[in-house]
Amino acid sequence: HPHMGEGPSPVRVRCYSVADRKVFAVEGTTALRADERGKPYWGIEIPLKDEAGQSLANGLYHLVVETDQGRRQLKLLVMR
């Protein structure tokens, strides 16, 4: 999860296939969450489903995350 600041903030996440096909986009507000060790962080849940509601296939995807602090490009690897 990228750093999302020190409190709730608007966030927009867009996901693209390696062929640059838009897979999904979500907008929301970050919320306080905890990682697997209980460490808190500000983040947003993203679906692992495309815009048609189908589960994402195994593979590499590109995420574009935009917040008040800027824009980051990340990679998402789906392995089931």
Side-chain angles (χ1 to χ4, degrees):
H1 52 81
H3 174 69
M4 295 291 185
E6 300 301 323
S9 66
V11 63
R12 179 176 172 197
V13 179
R14 289 173 286 146
C15 178
Y16 298 90
S17 69
V18 292
D20 282 334
R21 181 182 67 87
K22 184 176 167 187
V23 178
F24 68 79
V26 294
E27 293 188 33
T29 302
T30 59
L32 190 59
R33 303 179 185 284
D35 66 15
E36 60 276 354
R37 288 176 253 154
K39 183 179 176 184
Y41 69 93
W42 289 93
I44 187 171
E45 286 188 35
I46 58 170
L48 293 181
K49 296 182 181 222
D50 65 16
E51 291 182 334
Q54 300 295 315
S55 294
L56 295 184
N58 289 344
L60 183 65
Y61 298 86
H62 300 281
L63 298 178
V64 178
V65 180
E66 295 175 282
T67 70
D68 291 343
Q69 281 97 31
R71 175 182 163 152
R72 294 181 86 179
Q73 294 186 27
L74 306 168
K75 295 178 182 174
L76 170 67
L77 180 62
V78 175
M79 295 174 45
R80 297 190 193 275

